[in-house]
Amino acid sequence: YQEKIKKASQLIKNSNYTVAFTGAGISTESGIPDFRSPGGLWQRFRIVTYQEFIYDRQAREEFWRMKKELIHHLTNAKPNNAHIALAELEKKGFIKHVITQNIDGLHQMAGSKSVIELHGNQRGAICLDCEKLYKMDEILKMLEEQLDLRCYDCGGIIKPTVVFFGEPMPEKELIMAQQIANQCDLMLVIGTSLQVEPAASIPRIAHTRGAKLIFINKAETDWDWMAEIVFYGSASQVLKDIAI
Ligand code: NAD
Ligand code: ZN
């Protein structure tokens, strides 16, 4: 383990363009369950797809009922030492961007400045017809009245500003992430099982373009073979040990 830590710190120090690519696993130590680990969200809730959300009132209500239960996990969560370590690496100039699949906003809260959110964020919701934006506080109040949320202005369907399964990724963010993946020479891939496309293609692009990868996950992934170094363990512990 110590050898790997040493090698990882050296890689970070000797690279010119290091970026981090993170998933739900970096936030489990903040008390937000991931999807696929034991006890993860998929064992308790069904995923409502974008199509269901748009066309099926029952699915919408089911979604908002779940959101009501989970939102406290999200809004009370604080960044953990892994988020903080990445923010410090950015401050010291060792990493340039964090590309994240998370919607929890914890990277920004930890002080990371350049954060690219591939799956949106849970800070608010948007009317699908007139694009009126709602803050999450407002949404929670509305949910006390009814579950099939409708826009105050036009009666349209209100959808959280997170990207749903079956919904295309925000184009601007995806293009930025792809450009970064093309240019970076080192990518720290942290807390992601890389099973969601096209997000998972980002480390693949980096690898294809000759960047080195360092993986930090609790469990194995199908893509571990791409990495120069693979850590199996807690993100906060490994990043603390790597500390430069
Ligand atoms: P995932 O659930 O598929 O995989 C999580 C990965 O993190 C696994 O490889 C697991 O071994 C690892 N892990 C768990 N705890 C860890 C820890 N303490 N330290 C290091 N590794 C740890 O997550 P994913 O690949 O990000 O895909 C899930 C999708 O769900 C993402 O698209 C994301 O947008 C969304 N999601 C986000 C949040 C959030 O914002 N916090 C939470 C749940 C799901
Ligand atoms: Zn509207």
Side-chain angles (χ1 to χ4, degrees), residues 126-132 134 150-158:
I126 185 166
C127 168
L128 292 178
D129 287 338
C130 75
E131 302 192 351
K132 179 178 162 76
Y134 292 84
R150 291 301 174 144
C151 176
Y152 286 144
D153 286 355
C154 78
I157 294 174
I158 298 177

Side-chain angles (χ1 to χ4, degrees), residues 14-188:
N14 296 335
S15 300
N16 293 318
Y17 195 143
T18 302
V19 299
F21 180 80
T22 67
I26 197 168
S27 295
T28 53
E29 293 173 74
S30 294
I32 303 173
D34 63 10
F35 273 157
R36 295 177 181 80
S37 294
L41 295 177
W42 279 5
Q43 291 174 344
R44 295 197 292 134
F45 293 105
R46 190 176 77 85
I47 297 295
V48 173
T49 65
Y50 183 64
Q51 282 70 22
E52 288 171 311
F53 192 87
I54 303 287
Y55 294 116
D56 178 354
R57 173 179 172 159
Q58 253 178 329
R60 269 197 304 279
E61 297 194 351
E62 186 184 342
F63 173 85
W64 286 119
R65 208 174 295 120
M66 164 181 100
K67 195 78 183 170
K68 260 171 100 170
E69 189 184 325
L70 291 177
I71 192 76
H72 304 286
H73 275 305
L74 284 166
T75 47
N76 295 331
K78 300 259 170 329
N80 66 55
N81 288 332
H83 301 102
I84 293 168
L86 290 183
E88 275 169 10
L89 284 172
E90 180 183 336
K91 215 163 146 195
K92 291 180 186 159
F94 287 116
I95 70 172
K96 297 233 189 300
H97 318 278
V98 177
I99 304 168
T100 189
Q101 302 167 79
N102 294 344
I103 56 162
D104 54 35
L106 293 181
H107 285 301
Q108 294 91 327
M109 220 188 283
S112 285
K113 296 279 179 266
S114 178
V115 180
I116 294 141
E117 294 175 314
L118 289 178
H119 293 162
N121 63 70
Q122 51 93 34
R123 291 185 285 277
I126 185 166
C127 168
L128 292 178
D129 287 338
C130 75
E131 302 192 351
K132 179 178 162 76
L133 283 168
Y134 292 84
K135 293 227 170 78
M136 209 21 102
D137 295 348
E138 223 172 335
I139 292 289
L140 289 175
K141 271 205 207 102
M142 292 162 84
L143 284 172
E144 283 169 17
E145 305 286 314
Q146 61 153 337
L147 283 172
D148 186 24
L149 291 192
R150 291 301 174 144
C151 176
Y152 286 144
D153 286 355
C154 78
I157 294 174
I158 298 177
K159 190 191 84 68
T161 52
V162 301
V163 177
F164 278 47
F165 281 90
E167 181 179 0
M169 282 221 265
E171 205 174 336
K172 191 178 121 227
E173 277 77 8
L174 182 57
I175 289 172
M176 246 154 60
Q178 286 166 340
Q179 280 170 351
I180 290 167
N182 269 315
Q183 288 165 13
C184 69
D185 58 359
L186 178 64
M187 186 178 277
L188 314 177

Side-chain angles (χ1 to χ4, degrees), residues 193-229:
S193 64
L194 296 178
Q195 288 181 46
V196 190
E197 296 290 346
S201 66
I202 300 301
R204 254 188 345 253
I205 294 175
H207 175 72
T208 311
R209 290 302 217 108
K212 293 189 167 131
L213 307 183
I214 298 175
F215 275 34
I216 309 173
N217 273 299
K218 282 240 159 110
E220 281 179 32
T221 78
D222 292 344
W223 300 95
D224 287 358
W225 58 268
M226 287 194 305
E228 192 83 2
I229 311 175

